[in-house]
Amino acid sequence: MEKLFIVSILFAACCAVPQDLSGKMFTFPVESRTARVTLLPSQVNFKSVTVCLRFITNLTRNYALFSMASHNTHNDFVIYKTANKGHFEVYTRGKASSFQGLPDEPNTWYSSCSTWDSNSGLTQVWINGNPSTRKAGFKGNLDGAPSIVLGQEQDAVGGGFDAGQSFVGMITDVHMWDYVLSACEIQQFASDLNFTPGDVINWRALDFTTFGHVVIKDDLTNGCLRSQ
């Protein structure tokens, strides 16, 4: 089954036409268990991970910013905001790393980067170019065909969605690398300066599919600093 899934990903990669979404954003206007965006990565095994994106929401409940599942676990790499103010969680191969005291105001644009190193297992969250403390996560590679979703949290590969964990708001500039970005690179991303785009997921050449009520609109803040 996994081989078939990998073949389907590779086939889609051959046939998909990546789009440059510079100056665009995904808008998730309503709470839903169907609205989502699936992203097609350029590879299926990861020694380390950095995911950066920008978002705005007025949610005060739990929601997922980024959900990667595989046959090993539905929480292979997940960026999750809990209902507790300033509390984020990063899951690596099902192991949760908890971060508290981070910036968290409604209706505010935030630049978010989450990193994980396979050798040490250390995870870290950066908000607007400022780092959290490092926490212990999973040690070892993330192998297996990934299913990557924005807008929903996967409780099964490509499914198991709960409207109460869905994202409502806007997301843009999503990038993923298979290594841990340096502090300088993360700060360049946060400041909208020149940075090397993701080698796994690249907003400027994005393979994606939308489902349900998701709208692609111009990013009206494009060209202005969104981080605070």
Side-chain angles (χ1 to χ4, degrees), residues 19 21 25-28 34-39 148-150 203 206-217:
Q19 295 186 45
L21 293 188
M25 60 186 175
F26 291 131
T27 297
F28 303 86
T34 58
R36 64 193 186 278
V37 180
T38 62
L39 305 179
I148 299 178
V149 173
L150 302 177
W203 188 255
L206 197 67
D207 288 331
F208 69 95
T209 305
T210 62
F211 299 86
H213 196 174
V214 180
V215 182
I216 302 174
K217 296 289 289 183

Side-chain angles (χ1 to χ4, degrees), residues 5 69-74 145-149 154-161:
F5 189 27
S70 75
H71 72 281
N72 294 289
T73 172
H74 58 266
S147 169
I148 299 178
V149 173
Q154 300 174 85
D155 284 334
V157 175
F161 305 130

Side-chain angles (χ1 to χ4, degrees), residues 1-12 44 71 145:
M1 180 62 72
E2 182 187 352
K3 289 183 179 180
L4 179 60
F5 189 27
I6 293 175
V7 169
S8 66
I9 287 179
L10 294 176
F11 178 78
V44 297
H71 72 281

Side-chain angles (χ1 to χ4, degrees), residues 108-130:
T108 301
W109 276 105
Y110 285 110
S111 165
S112 168
C113 291
S114 300
T115 67
W116 163 78
D117 176 72
S118 63
N119 291 324
S120 64
L122 292 179
T123 63
Q124 192 170 27
V125 174
W126 295 68
I127 301 294
N128 295 342
N130 298 309

Side-chain angles (χ1 to χ4, degrees), residues 128-201:
N128 295 342
N130 298 309
S132 70
T133 57
R134 295 187 177 99
K135 298 293 183 72
F138 170 74
K139 285 187 179 182
N141 296 346
L142 299 181
D143 55 345
S147 169
I148 299 178
V149 173
L150 302 177
Q152 301 288 339
E153 196 276 321
Q154 300 174 85
D155 284 334
V157 175
F161 305 130
D162 179 353
Q165 295 178 318
S166 66
F167 178 81
V168 180
M170 286 89 85
I171 293 178
T172 187
D173 294 341
V174 183
H175 292 266
M176 179 176 177
W177 298 260
D178 66 348
Y179 57 91
V180 174
L181 263 62
S182 68
C184 182
E185 290 172 309
I186 289 175
Q187 289 163 356
Q188 286 177 317
F189 175 87
S191 299
D192 275 338
L193 299 176
N194 187 41
F195 64 92
T196 302
D199 57 347
V200 179
I201 293 173

Side-chain angles (χ1 to χ4, degrees), residues 77-110:
F77 190 87
V78 176
I79 305 169
Y80 194 76
K81 174 66 180 68
T82 77
N84 296 326
K85 189 172 180 62
H87 182 209
F88 287 77
E89 294 179 336
V90 176
Y91 288 83
T92 52
R93 190 48 60 89
K95 182 172 182 178
S97 302
S98 182
F99 302 89
Q100 301 192 37
L102 298 176
D104 180 18
E105 295 297 331
N107 296 315
T108 301
W109 276 105
Y110 285 110

